Amino acid sequence: MTTVDPRTAAARPGRLPRPRAARPDVPDAELERLREENAALRAQVRTRADELDLATRMLAARAQTMTSVIDAVTEQSIIGTDRDGVIRVWNPGAEKMLGLPRPDVVRKRSIVEFHQPEELEAAAEGCGSATGLAALVHAAQEHGSDVRDWTYVAADGQERTVSVAVTPRTDDRGVHAGWNFVGTDMTEARATERMKDQFVSLISHELRTPLTSILGYLELVLEDEGQPLTEEQRKYLTTVERNADRLLRLVGDLLFTAQVDAGRFSLQPQDVDLAGVLRAAEETARVTADAAGVEVVVEIPEDGVVVPGDAVRLGQACDNLVSNAVKFTPSGGRVTLSLRSGWAAPDGTVGDEPRFGSAPVAQLAVSDTGMGIPTGEQGKLFARFFRSSTAQRNAVPGVGLGLAITKAITTAHGGTLDVVSAEGEGTTFTLTLPRATA
């Protein structure tokens, strides 16, 4: 029979030492305390092990969820890189867009290899970067994110216009680990936009030239004192002139919206007295209002209100609001044009007195007692070619460009355009602009 030394057995790996027999020089109380501490340590180790196991499983589940979500995106490319631009994430959308399977790309290719070289070089020169990757991530590095069009080059050499959202990527410790590139193929959309802009510009030019000629000859005929017209002839030619003017304004609106979409909308800033703009709009609408039986009231402060802006464009915006108010107000109704100075708080509210953090503004309001706009349609008012159901039911003329143009002009001046309306109770449009101060 083999004899086993208890001390050797206690030291075997994987086994905790067994309690030693009580020694005469160690009190029983001390031994009991040591046993309790040993038990507490064992429990703590088991708890920490359980917590670590749970955290590991949660992290694995989270990673699996993220992978599943990324792999489920098939219409957008999701590409993740390390700090040097080497691709680490390549989803099915990227495979579809760029024509390469994941094993051929991950850890083998750089993101810059799928960009048009000339475009990268131009971008690098523009931001003072030495490399293509630096040009790609320059704006995202400065602002935290960036979205713009880039040209992707697929494996077969086909080029695509892609709207790419770039954001930094961090590891589980929060340390910068690379970049995320989420791309949406905009090739067809951008081509459609270019064709639309070209079509609008062409049609506008081809219509504006003959219309201008027609209006010029109409003016000569109507004002020719040597060959006076009969009342019936003058009536007919005046109708022709009115409709030619209407067509010319429509052509101008179409051309303006094309300029806004193409980013070619520019302003000629100067100090503009909004009181004069409002009076001019009232004079323009006066004939139409009188004919429709609509009263126009003007409420303007005596000292006026000056704002920095383009007088022509602000006049166009004001004319649109006033003419709309007159059109949508039935006979016997009222249109009120008002102007006031105020102070805009950071939350957007406007008061008469300055407060901490407030900025000087001017508010131009056009109110009517007309048919109003349904609540569910008010969010669509500033979309091009949108016409409310009340306008359609009451056969109010128009094509739905006026408010879209007014909104674009207001935004270009750093202002806001708000609407308050109730069906059957009227509408108020309020144009708020930064105000010049002495």
Side-chain angles (χ1 to χ4, degrees):
M1 181 174 181
T2 304
T3 304
V4 179
D5 188 341
R7 291 172 299 177
T8 305
R12 288 177 181 172
R15 298 180 59 183
L16 294 173
R18 300 175 64 180
R20 301 173 66 183
R23 290 168 47 185
D25 56 342
V26 179
D28 292 341
E30 181 68 13
L31 285 174
E32 184 60 29
R33 185 184 66 79
L34 290 174
R35 292 191 186 98
E36 290 176 356
E37 289 182 357
N38 183 278
L41 287 173
R42 288 174 177 234
Q44 189 174 9
V45 168
R46 285 194 297 269
T47 300
R48 293 291 183 266
D50 291 342
E51 290 176 352
L52 180 60
D53 180 61
L54 177 61
T56 301
R57 286 188 281 110
M58 289 179 63
L59 185 61
R62 186 181 304 172
Q64 181 61 39
T65 300
M66 288 300 300
T67 301
S68 299
V69 170
I70 291 174
D71 286 347
V73 179
T74 58
E75 298 304 316
Q76 286 183 306
S77 64
I78 300 178
I79 303 172
T81 73
D82 61 17
R83 289 179 295 179
D84 297 323
V86 178
I87 295 170
R88 299 300 182 92
V89 176
W90 185 265
N91 80 322
E95 293 183 355
K96 178 180 177 181
M97 185 181 295
L98 295 168
L100 286 175
R102 185 178 300 172
D104 292 353
V105 178
V106 173
R107 298 181 182 272
K108 299 177 182 178
R109 306 285 292 271
S110 170
I111 182 68
V112 298
E113 296 179 39
F114 298 96
H115 279 261
Q116 190 181 59
E118 298 81 3
E119 191 175 64
L120 283 179
E121 291 175 7
E125 292 177 1
C127 65
S129 301
T131 65
L133 177 64
L136 282 176
V137 303
H138 176 75
Q141 202 165 22
E142 286 191 349
H143 308 295
S145 64
D146 178 53
V147 180
R148 68 180 68 187
D149 284 358
W150 290 96
T151 302
Y152 273 6
V153 182
D156 60 1
Q158 184 178 4
E159 296 184 350
R160 298 179 180 275
T161 301
V162 182
S163 176
V164 183
V166 185
T167 54
R169 185 167 63 89
T170 57
D171 60 18
D172 54 357
R173 296 170 298 171
V175 178
H176 176 58
W179 304 94
N180 294 319
F181 301 84
V182 180
T184 303
D185 192 347
M186 303 296 291
T187 306
E188 293 184 5
R190 295 293 184 257
T192 301
E193 289 174 3
R194 286 193 296 271
M195 290 177 62
K196 179 189 65 179
D197 291 341
Q198 292 170 0
F199 174 77
V200 170
S201 298
L202 176 63
I203 294 301
S204 297
H205 179 267
E206 293 300 321
L207 288 176
R208 175 175 285 180
T209 301
L211 281 172
T212 303
S213 177
I214 290 171
L215 286 168
Y217 280 108
L218 281 171
E219 184 179 0
L220 289 175
V221 172
L222 289 169
E223 295 180 1
D224 189 355
E225 297 179 357
Q227 294 182 339
L229 301 171
T230 65
E231 286 300 319
E232 187 175 20
Q233 289 173 331
R234 183 171 295 277
K235 178 182 177 181
Y236 293 158
L237 290 177
T238 301
T239 301
V240 173
E241 184 182 41
R242 183 172 62 253
N243 283 283
D245 273 327
R246 180 182 173 188
L247 282 174
L248 191 60
R249 286 194 300 272
L250 177 58
V251 169
D253 289 347
L254 287 171
L255 188 57
F256 180 81
T257 57
Q259 290 173 343
V260 171
D261 288 345
R264 297 192 299 269
F265 170 39
S266 60
L267 300 175
Q268 296 180 356
Q270 57 182 319
D271 287 340
V272 181
D273 184 1
L274 288 180
V277 171
L278 207 57
R279 290 192 189 95
E282 184 266 338
E283 291 176 4
T284 301
R286 176 69 65 183
V287 175
T288 305
D290 289 344
V294 176
E295 180 185 7
V296 180
V297 178
V298 181
E299 300 173 353
I300 298 175
E302 294 183 359
D303 53 354
V305 179
V306 177
V307 299
D310 187 313
V312 174
R313 294 304 184 190
L314 289 175
Q316 184 180 8
C318 190
D319 284 344
N320 286 339
L321 293 178
V322 176
S323 64
N324 268 1
V326 172
K327 283 193 302 184
F328 283 87
T329 303
S331 180
R334 172 183 294 185
V335 172
T336 303
L337 319 181
S338 62
L339 180 64
R340 76 178 183 113
S341 298
W343 297 84
D347 61 1
T349 58
V350 177
D352 295 329
E353 300 296 331
R355 292 175 290 172
F356 178 76
S358 62
V361 295
Q363 283 196 315
L364 186 158
V366 179
S367 303
D368 65 62
T369 59
M371 56 192 72
I373 304 161
T375 302
E377 298 178 6
Q378 293 177 20
K380 306 175 185 177
L381 283 178
F382 304 117
R384 287 186 302 170
F385 303 111
F386 174 78
R387 304 194 70 229
S388 66
S389 57
T390 49
Q392 297 178 48
R393 284 198 306 268
N394 293 276
V396 177
V399 294
L401 286 175
L403 289 177
I405 289 173
T406 302
K407 178 71 171 179
I409 293 172
T410 303
T411 302
H413 282 81
T416 59
L417 182 61
D418 302 304
V419 60
V420 176
S421 183
E423 192 170 4
E425 298 180 13
T427 303
T428 298
F429 285 94
T430 303
L431 196 159
T432 305
L433 296 170
R435 175 165 52 90
T437 56

